[in-house]
Amino acid sequence: MDEAKEELKEIIEFLKDPKKFQRLGGKIPRGVLLTGPPGTGKTLLAKAVSGEAEVQFSSLSGSDFVEMFVGVGAARVRDLFEQAKRYTKTSGKGCIIFIDEIDAVGRQRFSGIGGGHDEREQTLNALLAEMDGFGTDESVIVVAATNRPDVLDPALLRPGRFDRLIVVDSPDIKGREEILKVHVRGKKVSPNVSLNKIARQTAGFSGADLANLCNESALLAARREKEEITMDEMDEAIDRVLMGPQRKSRVINEHEKKITAFHEAGHALVALLLPKVKSLDKVTIIPRGLAGGYTKLLDEDKKLYTKNELIEGITVSLAGRASEELALGEISIGAHDDIEKATKLARNMVCVFGMSEKLGHISFDKQSGPIFLGRDLVTEKHYSEKTAEEIDKEIKAIIDQCYHMAKELLEKNREKLYTFANTLLEKETLDGEEVKRLLGFKTEEKPQDDSEKTKEPIDFKTEEENKDDNSENP
Ligand code: ZN
C-alpha cells in the first residue's frame, strides 16, 4: 500500500505539527476519504495514522445509524464532534474522527425508493454542518471509509469536506507476498512452501482473504495430522477461500460427470488456444461450493484491458457450453454463471466502454466510481427505445460471435478436447502443466508478462463486418 501510505504520511505531519502548515496561511485538510474493496485494511490504516501521529481516535460506523429513531443519529454525530473539539482544546493534541461505512449515511439524498430516508438524511446533514463548522485552528481530521464511493452524496466530496480521496486497493503481487509473510509468522510452514507462488495465484485477494487463507491451511494441516503446513494445504486453502470447501461426498452420476468434464475441458482448452488469455492454473471436476467443477486461470494484476482481451474473456466464458453442445449434442444449466458473466461483460463493452463499432464511442450507462468486485453499479440510462433495441442487438452480436469462435476453436481441436475430457474423467484434477503436456502445448512455465508467442493472434469481427467482407469477396 505504498501510495496510500505516502498520502497518509502527509496527514500525520499535519496532525503532529499543525503550526508548521498554518504559519504560511495553509488550511489543515478537514476530511479524508479512504475507498477500496472490503477487507483491504481501511480501518487499520486510519488507526495506524492516529497511532503514528499520537492523537486521539474516536470512531463510529455508518451502519449503526440505519436502524435508529429519527434524530438520534444526528445527535450522536454532534456529540462526537463536540467531544473531539473539547479534547483538542484541553489537551492541545489533535484528534481523528473515523467514520466507517460512510455510504450507509452518506448516500445521495432523495434517491431512495419512495423519497428519502429521514433518519439518514438528518444524520448526513448534521455531519456536513459539523464539518463546515470547524474553526481553522482545530486539528481535528475526519477520516471516512467506504467501498461504495459511487453512491456518496456529492455534497460530501466538496472542497472543505472529504476533498482528499485515498484509494486503498487490493494488494498487488509484491504486496500479497509481504502480507503472506506476516500471516505465516508463528505458523509451522514447510520449506517447500513458496509464498511467491501463492502470491501469484491469489490476484484479487484482500489482506483479510490472505489471513483467512493462512489460517485455513493451518487448520487443514492439523486435520491431516501433519507436522507442518505444506504447499498442498496452501493450494487447497486458496480454493476454499475462493469457492468454499470440496464436496467429495456429493454423489454425481456418470452422465453429470461427463458433462462437467467436457464443460471444463472446453473452458481450459479455449483458454490455452487464445493468445491473450492468462495462463491455466488448474482444472477440476470435483464439486466445490456451488460449482460442479471449475477452471482456474492465473490472474494477473491487471486493471486495463483491451477490446481483444475482453472478447477473448467472453469466448473462454462461453467455451464450456460450446464444448457441451459440440461433444454431447445437448447443453446443460451448468453454464448459467458463465452466461451471466459473458452477458455483463458484453453489455459493458457496448454501454460503458464504447467498444461497439455500430454504436460508436458513446457511453449509454452512466457509472461513477471504480468498478469493485463486479458489483452491480448504480446506473442511469438515458437513451431512446430505438437505441435500446440496437444496444440489445450489439450485445447479442458480440455473444454470438464469441460463442461461434469458441465452438470453431474446439471443433478444430476436437481430438485434444476428447483426450482432455477423458483424462479429466479419470483423474478429476489436472494442473496447467499436466494439461499442456497431455495436449502437446509448450510446457515451460509462462513468464509473468505472458509473452508466449506460440499462439496466433485472432481478429475479432462483428457479424456486420463479416457480412461486409463477404459482399466484397463473393
Ligand atoms: Zn463454466
Side-chain angles (χ1 to χ4, degrees):
M1 287 191 196
D2 292 335
E3 286 105 16
K5 264 158 51 184
E6 209 47 57
E7 300 235 16
L8 285 168
K9 268 184 199 155
E10 209 182 71
I11 304 292
I12 294 170
E13 296 265 307
F14 283 136
L15 284 166
K16 271 191 160 166
D17 188 4
K19 300 261 166 353
K20 183 171 144 195
F21 300 90
Q22 288 162 341
R23 198 167 47 93
L24 301 173
K27 273 189 198 150
I28 306 287
R30 279 286 154 256
V32 178
L33 184 65
L34 304 175
T35 72
T40 42
K42 296 184 284 293
T43 310
L44 283 175
L45 261 181
K47 274 191 187 149
V49 169
S50 80
E52 194 78 11
E54 295 174 350
V55 297
Q56 175 156 304
F57 183 82
S58 8
S59 71
L60 51 86
S61 171
S63 58
D64 295 345
F65 295 120
V66 178
E67 298 297 325
M68 273 186 190
F69 295 113
V70 175
V72 177
R76 268 189 65 183
V77 167
R78 282 192 290 271
D79 244 25
L80 194 71
F81 278 76
E82 201 44 56
Q83 276 174 27
K85 280 186 210 166
R86 212 179 308 133
Y87 174 82
T88 54
K89 270 209 187 98
T90 53
S91 70
K93 282 182 175 177
C95 177
I96 285 183
I97 296 177
F98 180 65
I99 305 172
D100 203 3
E101 300 177 60
I102 193 169
D103 45 285
V105 274
R107 257 166 211 271
Q108 204 154 352
R109 283 167 289 186
F110 319 116
S111 66
I113 296 164
H117 182 297
D118 267 354
E119 171 52 16
R120 207 185 60 210
E121 270 178 29
Q122 285 195 13
T123 310
L124 176 57
N125 288 336
L127 180 61
L128 295 174
E130 288 298 332
M131 288 189 79
D132 293 344
F134 273 135
T136 43
D137 53 336
E138 283 153 316
S139 41
V140 179
I141 292 186
V142 189
V143 180
T146 180
N147 48 33
R148 298 298 309 273
D150 51 319
V151 300
L152 291 182
D153 195 294
L156 273 170
L157 308 174
R158 245 173 251 153
R161 291 168 183 167
F162 293 101
D163 49 6
R164 298 222 164 188
L165 192 91
I166 298 179
V167 177
V168 186
D169 216 341
S170 299
D172 59 10
I173 184 163
K174 199 175 122 249
R176 290 197 297 276
E177 193 173 344
E178 294 300 316
I179 292 171
L180 284 165
K181 272 186 203 157
V182 172
H183 290 299
V184 296
R185 232 181 261 159
K187 293 189 175 67
K188 279 191 184 164
V189 178
S190 151
N192 87 351
V193 167
S194 156
L195 294 183
N196 178 274
K197 197 172 168 221
I198 298 167
R200 275 204 287 140
Q201 287 173 297
T202 46
F205 275 45
S206 68
D209 291 332
L210 292 169
N212 188 4
L213 184 159
C214 290
N215 190 51
E216 280 285 338
S217 66
L219 297 180
L220 269 170
R223 206 174 305 150
R224 293 171 179 177
E225 314 221 335
K226 289 199 177 171
E227 289 301 312
E228 51 189 14
I229 305 166
T230 70
M231 209 59 186
D232 280 349
E233 284 80 39
M234 285 287 191
D235 272 337
E236 166 79 20
I238 293 173
D239 292 344
R240 260 172 188 257
V241 173
L242 275 175
M243 325 264 304
Q246 274 191 1
R247 291 183 305 151
K248 274 192 171 152
S249 58
R250 191 181 125 180
V251 187
I252 315 167
N253 69 38
E254 282 308 302
H255 186 59
E256 218 175 285
K257 217 169 145 186
K258 200 170 162 190
I259 296 175
T260 310
F262 273 100
H263 181 102
E264 298 307 330
H267 281 309
L269 182 54
V270 168
L272 283 170
L273 290 166
L274 289 170
K276 293 189 195 297
V277 176
K278 310 156 271 191
S279 47
L280 178 64
D281 188 30
K282 75 163 160 193
V283 194
T284 178
I285 55 167
I286 298 173
R288 180 184 288 280
L290 293 173
Y294 59 97
T295 299
K296 201 162 131 234
L297 302 172
L298 271 184
D299 254 312
E300 293 162 74
D301 288 299
K302 232 178 139 160
K303 297 261 150 68
L304 194 63
Y305 291 91
T306 64
K307 183 178 173 185
N308 271 333
E309 283 167 339
L310 296 181
I311 287 293
E312 294 196 358
I314 297 175
T315 306
V316 172
S317 287
L318 296 172
R321 166 156 288 185
S323 173
E324 290 177 31
E325 195 190 347
L326 187 75
L328 306 167
E330 57 178 353
I331 55 175
S332 75
I333 62 168
H336 69 97
D337 230 24
D338 302 330
I339 303 284
E340 191 187 328
K341 224 169 90 187
T343 313
K344 255 190 201 154
L345 201 48
R347 180 166 188 94
N348 280 341
M349 283 180 69
V350 176
C351 297
V352 183
F353 307 137
M355 285 177 172
S356 150
E357 320 260 328
K358 219 170 147 194
L359 292 159
H361 311 286
I362 292 173
S363 154
F364 294 102
D365 288 356
K366 194 188 145 211
Q367 309 203 350
S368 49
I371 300 170
F372 289 131
L373 305 170
R375 260 198 184 135
D376 281 325
L377 295 158
V378 183
T379 58
E380 279 171 42
K381 299 181 174 69
H382 18 214
Y383 42 75
S384 66
E385 283 296 309
K386 191 170 163 282
T387 309
E389 236 169 72
E390 285 191 30
I391 288 173
D392 289 340
K393 262 192 219 156
E394 274 297 275
I395 294 170
K396 186 170 180 299
I398 292 176
I399 295 284
D400 287 351
Q401 190 67 27
C402 290
Y403 187 76
H404 182 75
M405 184 152 75
K407 217 172 146 189
E408 205 175 65
L409 279 170
L410 292 171
E411 225 155 15
K412 279 187 193 152
N413 295 274
R414 205 180 252 273
E415 243 168 79
K416 283 195 172 79
L417 178 65
Y418 275 79
T419 315
F420 194 170
N422 287 326
T423 315
L424 262 182
L425 277 171
E426 187 190 322
K427 299 202 168 154
E428 298 195 328
T429 303
L430 293 168
D431 71 33
E433 293 303 294
E434 284 173 319
V435 174
K436 286 189 201 165
R437 238 176 286 133
L438 177 74
L439 303 177
F441 285 94
K442 251 174 107 177
T443 51
E444 79 251 74
E445 285 250 20
K446 234 190 225 184
Q448 274 292 107
D449 60 3
D450 203 316
S451 57
E452 201 178 357
K453 295 283 179 237
T454 51
K455 302 182 232 168
E456 277 178 26
I458 47 132
D459 247 344
F460 170 71
K461 286 189 173 172
T462 61
E463 238 168 325
E464 291 299 309
E465 286 172 292
N466 275 342
K467 270 181 212 150
D468 291 348
D469 281 0
N470 291 342
S471 58
E472 277 163 34
N473 313 301

